[in-house]
Amino acid sequence: MMANETYIQVVDLYKSFGFKKVLQGLNLDIQRGETMVVIGGSGSGKSVLLKHIIGLLTPDSGGVFVDNQEVGRLNEKKLDLLRRRFGMLFQGAALFDSLNVEDNIAFALNRHSLLSPGEIKIRVTQCLEMVGMPGIEKLRTSELSGGMKKRVGLARAIALQPEIILYDEPTTGLDPIMSDVINNLIREMQEKLKVTSIAITHDMVSAYKIADRIAMLYEGRIEEVGTPEEIKNTSLPIVRQFIRGESSSTHQGVIQ
Amino acid sequence: MVFALFEKLTNPKFLIEHNLLVIILRRIHIFMTQLGELILLIGKTLKWMTRRPFDLNLIVRQMEEVGYNSLPVVLITSIFTGMVFALNSFEGFHRFGAESLTGTVVGLAITRELAPVLTSLMVAGRAASAMAAEIGTMKVTEQVDALYTLATDPVKYLVVPRVTAGFFMVPILTAVADFFGIIGGYMVSVKLLGANPYIYIHSTKSFLENKDIIGGLIKASAFGFILAVVGCYKGLATEGGAEGVGKATTGAVVISSMCVLIADFFLTKMLM
Ligand SMILES: Nc1ncnc2c1ncn2[C@@H]1O[C@H](COP(=O)(O)OP(=O)(O)O)[C@@H](O)[C@H]1O
Ligand SMILES: [Mg+2]
């Protein structure tokens, strides 16, 4: 098993947009080397949480600590250095339209590494092989299907050999088979690269498959954290409803 | 009528009753916020311009987009502007027998004012809108966020090349417009209205000073900078999907054109 060492710590995080309170005192610890899956309904603030962890959003109060550095308080240079230890796979993959597959994957290498063009080419080939898409270097991003985009996005995320990979809804919008491919890839990344991963999703099949621990986000806080087994057998009604996909009267009440 | 309306609108009671004060204050607040953000963006752009890596290939691509691809529009605009300006001036000067001044006036108006301003407005319509649309699309599809996660500042990667291209290409386009505007004026005066070609050229040359041409080019540089910054700002501020991109694009054209015209007055005054 992994060493029990807190690597990423979210402490009392608050974030509102205008009058809309999204995160309201969220606490979450992530151990080095584990895969934490955060589940929660659409619009519950999962992406907002992820964006705080990599410093794309700054908290109203509270903070995120990565390896004992407070993300929101780093200067530009230190934040850049910290970000190089992250890889992020966006929900829509967020590949650069203006670049082909190769240049997308090589983006950070071209800008931040001392590798020669030849070495970068080799690294791109490796990354594409790792996500099971060898030989598509010269394709344009518009020629890729949704699943291929995600895999290229993952290849881009791992190009700089990150210590932490963030996944924003890695299986949303994919068919079940492609979802399974992606789930397997996420497991593989964890085993081969020994990375710490945080994935957010509302796909429970995916959550059970990839998670070491699952945390449920509800009304701006973490409702429950536990192993997949513990979450499956939860006694909390809100968590139970969510993982079983039930819409109860209380839920409808919240929506209205 | 108008006076009554004015009185109503400035009456505090009326304003409060109809929440107008709130609306007006909110408008002012939004305007000041955006102005502040725009100034911050200018500061960041200038800072990143001096830092490595210099993305030469990106700059060249934007120069092609802003400069080379705008050439046809600028050519047609400047030739016809020169032509119509010659028509009007000739007609006007004819009334007191001073047709020989047509060349002078066309030359001055084109180089000092018409070429820089019309070129900038054309580039604002073509390029600033394209910048807002392109960057706006990247914003709503999280590509801008992706840049940050790849430890690359979007200002460095997206804004600096566009602003650099605007700064250098708009004056070059303006120089082209100067030339073709004067040619257009010459053709109308000499070929259509029968002015003496020798006198026309002489009257253009002898009163046109380097200062006029260079002043126009300096203004053009400033306009190119401004319209690119506004286009990029609108792109980066885009929210809300495809609809947001559409709004950003329109906004970029309107605001950058207004900024060009406002800056024109102050720059002209400064350069006098
Ligand atoms: N940049 C932003 N500006 C304003 N509101 C935002 C922004 N980002 C997210 N939100 C709002 O925060 C809430 C949570 O969003 P998000 O984290 O994307 O949800 P999800 O859990 O589906 O990923 C939503 O209501 C969304 O509208
Ligand atoms: Mg989301």
Side-chain angles (χ1 to χ4, degrees), chain B residues 173-236:
Chain B
L173 289 169
T174 300
V176 172
D178 282 348
F179 182 73
F180 282 93
I182 289 174
I183 297 277
Y186 173 87
M187 286 197 322
V188 162
S189 306
V190 173
K191 307 279 179 206
L192 195 68
L193 303 170
N196 179 322
Y198 174 76
I199 293 180
Y200 189 91
I201 292 172
H202 181 76
S203 91
T204 305
K205 267 190 179 167
S206 53
F207 287 101
L208 195 61
E209 293 173 21
N210 279 341
K211 174 183 136 190
D212 300 319
I213 298 172
I214 291 172
L217 298 182
I218 291 174
K219 287 204 296 187
S221 269
F223 299 160
F225 184 95
I226 292 169
L227 65 89
V229 167
V230 171
C232 293
Y233 170 73
K234 275 290 170 185
L236 288 174

Side-chain angles (χ1 to χ4, degrees), chain A residues 17 20 22 41-48 57 168-169 200, chain B residues 239:
Chain A
F17 296 102
K20 190 171 174 58
V22 180
S42 297
S44 59
K46 303 185 297 295
S47 297
V48 170
L57 290 172
D168 190 345
E169 312 228 357
I200 61 178
Chain B
E239 304 254 329

